mmCIF file with all atom_site columns, all heavy atoms in Angstrom:
data_model
loop_
_atom_site.group_PDB
_atom_site.id
_atom_site.type_symbol
_atom_site.label_atom_id
_atom_site.label_alt_id
_atom_site.label_comp_id
_atom_site.label_asym_id
_atom_site.label_entity_id
_atom_site.label_seq_id
_atom_site.pdbx_PDB_ins_code
_atom_site.Cartn_x
_atom_site.Cartn_y
_atom_site.Cartn_z
_atom_site.occupancy
_atom_site.B_iso_or_equiv
_atom_site.pdbx_formal_charge
_atom_site.auth_seq_id
_atom_site.auth_comp_id
_atom_site.auth_asym_id
_atom_site.auth_atom_id
_atom_site.pdbx_PDB_model_num
ATOM 1   N N   . LYS A 1 212 ? -21.965 -24.096 23.925 1.00 0.00 ? 469 LYS A N   1
ATOM 2   C CA  . LYS A 1 212 ? -21.516 -23.261 25.019 1.00 0.00 ? 469 LYS A CA  1
ATOM 3   C C   . LYS A 1 212 ? -20.041 -22.918 24.703 1.00 0.00 ? 469 LYS A C   1
ATOM 4   O O   . LYS A 1 212 ? -19.602 -21.728 24.861 1.00 0.00 ? 469 LYS A O   1
ATOM 5   C CB  . LYS A 1 212 ? -21.598 -23.984 26.324 1.00 0.00 ? 469 LYS A CB  1
ATOM 6   C CG  . LYS A 1 212 ? -21.198 -23.109 27.510 1.00 0.00 ? 469 LYS A CG  1
ATOM 7   C CD  . LYS A 1 212 ? -21.357 -23.893 28.837 1.00 0.00 ? 469 LYS A CD  1
ATOM 8   C CE  . LYS A 1 212 ? -21.074 -22.922 30.010 1.00 0.00 ? 469 LYS A CE  1
ATOM 9   N NZ  . LYS A 1 212 ? -19.692 -22.391 29.952 1.00 0.00 ? 469 LYS A NZ  1
ATOM 10  N N   . MET A 1 213 ? -19.211 -23.873 24.238 1.00 0.00 ? 470 MET A N   1
ATOM 11  C CA  . MET A 1 213 ? -17.840 -23.606 23.944 1.00 0.00 ? 470 MET A CA  1
ATOM 12  C C   . MET A 1 213 ? -17.689 -22.685 22.816 1.00 0.00 ? 470 MET A C   1
ATOM 13  O O   . MET A 1 213 ? -16.864 -21.736 22.842 1.00 0.00 ? 470 MET A O   1
ATOM 14  C CB  . MET A 1 213 ? -17.128 -24.968 23.686 1.00 0.00 ? 470 MET A CB  1
ATOM 15  C CG  . MET A 1 213 ? -17.043 -25.885 24.865 1.00 0.00 ? 470 MET A CG  1
ATOM 16  S SD  . MET A 1 213 ? -16.203 -27.433 24.459 1.00 0.00 ? 470 MET A SD  1
ATOM 17  C CE  . MET A 1 213 ? -14.502 -26.869 24.324 1.00 0.00 ? 470 MET A CE  1
ATOM 18  N N   . ILE A 1 214 ? -18.456 -22.871 21.799 1.00 0.00 ? 471 ILE A N   1
ATOM 19  C CA  . ILE A 1 214 ? -18.342 -21.964 20.561 1.00 0.00 ? 471 ILE A CA  1
ATOM 20  C C   . ILE A 1 214 ? -18.793 -20.572 20.902 1.00 0.00 ? 471 ILE A C   1
ATOM 21  O O   . ILE A 1 214 ? -18.228 -19.608 20.354 1.00 0.00 ? 471 ILE A O   1
ATOM 22  C CB  . ILE A 1 214 ? -19.178 -22.640 19.433 1.00 0.00 ? 471 ILE A CB  1
ATOM 23  C CG1 . ILE A 1 214 ? -18.580 -23.931 18.977 1.00 0.00 ? 471 ILE A CG1 1
ATOM 24  C CG2 . ILE A 1 214 ? -19.310 -21.662 18.255 1.00 0.00 ? 471 ILE A CG2 1
ATOM 25  C CD1 . ILE A 1 214 ? -17.128 -23.823 18.510 1.00 0.00 ? 471 ILE A CD1 1
ATOM 26  N N   . ARG A 1 215 ? -19.784 -20.407 21.761 1.00 0.00 ? 472 ARG A N   1
ATOM 27  C CA  . ARG A 1 215 ? -20.345 -19.031 22.101 1.00 0.00 ? 472 ARG A CA  1
ATOM 28  C C   . ARG A 1 215 ? -19.237 -18.193 22.804 1.00 0.00 ? 472 ARG A C   1
ATOM 29  O O   . ARG A 1 215 ? -19.441 -16.977 22.961 1.00 0.00 ? 472 ARG A O   1
ATOM 30  C CB  . ARG A 1 215 ? -21.582 -19.184 22.906 1.00 0.00 ? 472 ARG A CB  1
ATOM 31  C CG  . ARG A 1 215 ? -22.780 -19.674 22.163 1.00 0.00 ? 472 ARG A CG  1
ATOM 32  C CD  . ARG A 1 215 ? -23.134 -18.732 21.039 1.00 0.00 ? 472 ARG A CD  1
ATOM 33  N NE  . ARG A 1 215 ? -24.263 -19.193 20.210 1.00 0.00 ? 472 ARG A NE  1
ATOM 34  C CZ  . ARG A 1 215 ? -24.677 -18.634 19.096 1.00 0.00 ? 472 ARG A CZ  1
ATOM 35  N NH1 . ARG A 1 215 ? -23.965 -17.678 18.488 1.00 0.00 ? 472 ARG A NH1 1
ATOM 36  N NH2 . ARG A 1 215 ? -25.715 -19.114 18.434 1.00 0.00 ? 472 ARG A NH2 1
ATOM 37  N N   . ASP A 1 216 ? -18.160 -18.793 23.286 1.00 0.00 ? 473 ASP A N   1
ATOM 38  C CA  . ASP A 1 216 ? -17.143 -18.051 23.926 1.00 0.00 ? 473 ASP A CA  1
ATOM 39  C C   . ASP A 1 216 ? -16.255 -17.388 22.857 1.00 0.00 ? 473 ASP A C   1
ATOM 40  O O   . ASP A 1 216 ? -15.381 -16.481 23.208 1.00 0.00 ? 473 ASP A O   1
ATOM 41  C CB  . ASP A 1 216 ? -16.237 -18.986 24.797 1.00 0.00 ? 473 ASP A CB  1
ATOM 42  C CG  . ASP A 1 216 ? -16.978 -19.436 26.020 1.00 0.00 ? 473 ASP A CG  1
ATOM 43  O OD1 . ASP A 1 216 ? -17.909 -18.692 26.444 1.00 0.00 ? 473 ASP A OD1 1
ATOM 44  O OD2 . ASP A 1 216 ? -16.610 -20.512 26.569 1.00 0.00 ? 473 ASP A OD2 1
ATOM 45  N N   . LEU A 1 217 ? -16.363 -17.726 21.633 1.00 0.00 ? 474 LEU A N   1
ATOM 46  C CA  . LEU A 1 217 ? -15.596 -17.120 20.523 1.00 0.00 ? 474 LEU A CA  1
ATOM 47  C C   . LEU A 1 217 ? -16.231 -15.737 20.178 1.00 0.00 ? 474 LEU A C   1
ATOM 48  O O   . LEU A 1 217 ? -17.325 -15.466 20.580 1.00 0.00 ? 474 LEU A O   1
ATOM 49  C CB  . LEU A 1 217 ? -15.582 -18.039 19.340 1.00 0.00 ? 474 LEU A CB  1
ATOM 50  C CG  . LEU A 1 217 ? -14.872 -19.373 19.500 1.00 0.00 ? 474 LEU A CG  1
ATOM 51  C CD1 . LEU A 1 217 ? -15.081 -20.263 18.316 1.00 0.00 ? 474 LEU A CD1 1
ATOM 52  C CD2 . LEU A 1 217 ? -13.344 -19.178 19.747 1.00 0.00 ? 474 LEU A CD2 1
ATOM 53  N N   . PRO A 1 218 ? -15.510 -14.923 19.411 1.00 0.00 ? 475 PRO A N   1
ATOM 54  C CA  . PRO A 1 218 ? -16.075 -13.666 18.875 1.00 0.00 ? 475 PRO A CA  1
ATOM 55  C C   . PRO A 1 218 ? -17.439 -13.967 18.208 1.00 0.00 ? 475 PRO A C   1
ATOM 56  O O   . PRO A 1 218 ? -17.613 -15.032 17.536 1.00 0.00 ? 475 PRO A O   1
ATOM 57  C CB  . PRO A 1 218 ? -15.051 -13.140 17.917 1.00 0.00 ? 475 PRO A CB  1
ATOM 58  C CG  . PRO A 1 218 ? -13.762 -13.677 18.487 1.00 0.00 ? 475 PRO A CG  1
ATOM 59  C CD  . PRO A 1 218 ? -14.075 -15.063 19.016 1.00 0.00 ? 475 PRO A CD  1
ATOM 60  N N   . LYS A 1 219 ? -18.367 -13.072 18.241 1.00 0.00 ? 476 LYS A N   1
ATOM 61  C CA  . LYS A 1 219 ? -19.725 -13.330 17.800 1.00 0.00 ? 476 LYS A CA  1
ATOM 62  C C   . LYS A 1 219 ? -19.792 -13.758 16.363 1.00 0.00 ? 476 LYS A C   1
ATOM 63  O O   . LYS A 1 219 ? -20.490 -14.727 15.995 1.00 0.00 ? 476 LYS A O   1
ATOM 64  C CB  . LYS A 1 219 ? -20.499 -12.021 18.007 1.00 0.00 ? 476 LYS A CB  1
ATOM 65  C CG  . LYS A 1 219 ? -21.986 -12.207 17.668 1.00 0.00 ? 476 LYS A CG  1
ATOM 66  C CD  . LYS A 1 219 ? -22.810 -10.987 18.001 1.00 0.00 ? 476 LYS A CD  1
ATOM 67  C CE  . LYS A 1 219 ? -24.305 -11.142 17.619 1.00 0.00 ? 476 LYS A CE  1
ATOM 68  N NZ  . LYS A 1 219 ? -25.087 -9.947  17.878 1.00 0.00 ? 476 LYS A NZ  1
ATOM 69  N N   . HIS A 1 220 ? -19.070 -13.072 15.517 1.00 0.00 ? 477 HIS A N   1
ATOM 70  C CA  . HIS A 1 220 ? -19.175 -13.438 14.011 1.00 0.00 ? 477 HIS A CA  1
ATOM 71  C C   . HIS A 1 220 ? -18.574 -14.798 13.773 1.00 0.00 ? 477 HIS A C   1
ATOM 72  O O   . HIS A 1 220 ? -19.098 -15.539 12.910 1.00 0.00 ? 477 HIS A O   1
ATOM 73  C CB  . HIS A 1 220 ? -18.464 -12.350 13.167 1.00 0.00 ? 477 HIS A CB  1
ATOM 74  C CG  . HIS A 1 220 ? -16.966 -12.443 13.171 1.00 0.00 ? 477 HIS A CG  1
ATOM 75  N ND1 . HIS A 1 220 ? -16.202 -11.925 14.226 1.00 0.00 ? 477 HIS A ND1 1
ATOM 76  C CD2 . HIS A 1 220 ? -16.090 -12.957 12.288 1.00 0.00 ? 477 HIS A CD2 1
ATOM 77  C CE1 . HIS A 1 220 ? -14.915 -12.104 13.978 1.00 0.00 ? 477 HIS A CE1 1
ATOM 78  N NE2 . HIS A 1 220 ? -14.865 -12.780 12.780 1.00 0.00 ? 477 HIS A NE2 1
ATOM 79  N N   . VAL A 1 221 ? -17.536 -15.238 14.504 1.00 0.00 ? 478 VAL A N   1
ATOM 80  C CA  . VAL A 1 221 ? -16.995 -16.578 14.311 1.00 0.00 ? 478 VAL A CA  1
ATOM 81  C C   . VAL A 1 221 ? -17.953 -17.610 14.889 1.00 0.00 ? 478 VAL A C   1
ATOM 82  O O   . VAL A 1 221 ? -18.253 -18.669 14.261 1.00 0.00 ? 478 VAL A O   1
ATOM 83  C CB  . VAL A 1 221 ? -15.677 -16.696 15.053 1.00 0.00 ? 478 VAL A CB  1
ATOM 84  C CG1 . VAL A 1 221 ? -15.108 -18.089 14.981 1.00 0.00 ? 478 VAL A CG1 1
ATOM 85  C CG2 . VAL A 1 221 ? -14.653 -15.688 14.460 1.00 0.00 ? 478 VAL A CG2 1
ATOM 86  N N   . ALA A 1 222 ? -18.500 -17.348 16.089 1.00 0.00 ? 479 ALA A N   1
ATOM 87  C CA  . ALA A 1 222 ? -19.472 -18.328 16.705 1.00 0.00 ? 479 ALA A CA  1
ATOM 88  C C   . ALA A 1 222 ? -20.669 -18.445 15.795 1.00 0.00 ? 479 ALA A C   1
ATOM 89  O O   . ALA A 1 222 ? -21.221 -19.556 15.642 1.00 0.00 ? 479 ALA A O   1
ATOM 90  C CB  . ALA A 1 222 ? -19.858 -17.794 18.102 1.00 0.00 ? 479 ALA A CB  1
ATOM 91  N N   . ASN A 1 223 ? -21.228 -17.349 15.274 1.00 0.00 ? 480 ASN A N   1
ATOM 92  C CA  . ASN A 1 223 ? -22.409 -17.518 14.449 1.00 0.00 ? 480 ASN A CA  1
ATOM 93  C C   . ASN A 1 223 ? -22.163 -18.350 13.185 1.00 0.00 ? 480 ASN A C   1
ATOM 94  O O   . ASN A 1 223 ? -22.982 -19.169 12.769 1.00 0.00 ? 480 ASN A O   1
ATOM 95  C CB  . ASN A 1 223 ? -22.804 -16.093 13.955 1.00 0.00 ? 480 ASN A CB  1
ATOM 96  C CG  . ASN A 1 223 ? -23.478 -15.294 15.100 1.00 0.00 ? 480 ASN A CG  1
ATOM 97  O OD1 . ASN A 1 223 ? -23.821 -15.872 16.130 1.00 0.00 ? 480 ASN A OD1 1
ATOM 98  N ND2 . ASN A 1 223 ? -23.605 -13.956 14.900 1.00 0.00 ? 480 ASN A ND2 1
ATOM 99  N N   . ILE A 1 224 ? -20.961 -18.234 12.587 1.00 0.00 ? 481 ILE A N   1
ATOM 100 C CA  . ILE A 1 224 ? -20.672 -19.051 11.383 1.00 0.00 ? 481 ILE A CA  1
ATOM 101 C C   . ILE A 1 224 ? -20.629 -20.500 11.769 1.00 0.00 ? 481 ILE A C   1
ATOM 102 O O   . ILE A 1 224 ? -21.179 -21.356 11.108 1.00 0.00 ? 481 ILE A O   1
ATOM 103 C CB  . ILE A 1 224 ? -19.323 -18.568 10.756 1.00 0.00 ? 481 ILE A CB  1
ATOM 104 C CG1 . ILE A 1 224 ? -19.474 -17.234 10.144 1.00 0.00 ? 481 ILE A CG1 1
ATOM 105 C CG2 . ILE A 1 224 ? -18.820 -19.584 9.715  1.00 0.00 ? 481 ILE A CG2 1
ATOM 106 C CD1 . ILE A 1 224 ? -18.189 -16.561 9.711  1.00 0.00 ? 481 ILE A CD1 1
ATOM 107 N N   . LEU A 1 225 ? -19.917 -20.845 12.844 1.00 0.00 ? 482 LEU A N   1
ATOM 108 C CA  . LEU A 1 225 ? -19.812 -22.257 13.298 1.00 0.00 ? 482 LEU A CA  1
ATOM 109 C C   . LEU A 1 225 ? -21.070 -22.821 13.703 1.00 0.00 ? 482 LEU A C   1
ATOM 110 O O   . LEU A 1 225 ? -21.373 -24.014 13.395 1.00 0.00 ? 482 LEU A O   1
ATOM 111 C CB  . LEU A 1 225 ? -18.707 -22.311 14.395 1.00 0.00 ? 482 LEU A CB  1
ATOM 112 C CG  . LEU A 1 225 ? -17.299 -21.907 14.027 1.00 0.00 ? 482 LEU A CG  1
ATOM 113 C CD1 . LEU A 1 225 ? -16.403 -21.947 15.222 1.00 0.00 ? 482 LEU A CD1 1
ATOM 114 C CD2 . LEU A 1 225 ? -16.757 -22.800 12.894 1.00 0.00 ? 482 LEU A CD2 1
ATOM 115 N N   . ILE A 1 226 ? -21.939 -22.039 14.373 1.00 0.00 ? 483 ILE A N   1
ATOM 116 C CA  . ILE A 1 226 ? -23.213 -22.570 14.738 1.00 0.00 ? 483 ILE A CA  1
ATOM 117 C C   . ILE A 1 226 ? -24.120 -22.775 13.540 1.00 0.00 ? 483 ILE A C   1
ATOM 118 O O   . ILE A 1 226 ? -24.864 -23.741 13.411 1.00 0.00 ? 483 ILE A O   1
ATOM 119 C CB  . ILE A 1 226 ? -23.880 -21.591 15.752 1.00 0.00 ? 483 ILE A CB  1
ATOM 120 C CG1 . ILE A 1 226 ? -23.151 -21.583 17.121 1.00 0.00 ? 483 ILE A CG1 1
ATOM 121 C CG2 . ILE A 1 226 ? -25.353 -21.979 15.989 1.00 0.00 ? 483 ILE A CG2 1
ATOM 122 C CD1 . ILE A 1 226 ? -23.092 -22.935 17.775 1.00 0.00 ? 483 ILE A CD1 1
#
Side-chain angles (χ1 to χ4, degrees):
K469 185 177 185 303
M470 294 178 72
I471 293 302
R472 288 299 180 192
D473 289 336
L474 295 171
K476 185 176 180 180
H477 76 280
V478 176
N480 286 345
I481 290 169
L482 295 175
I483 293 299

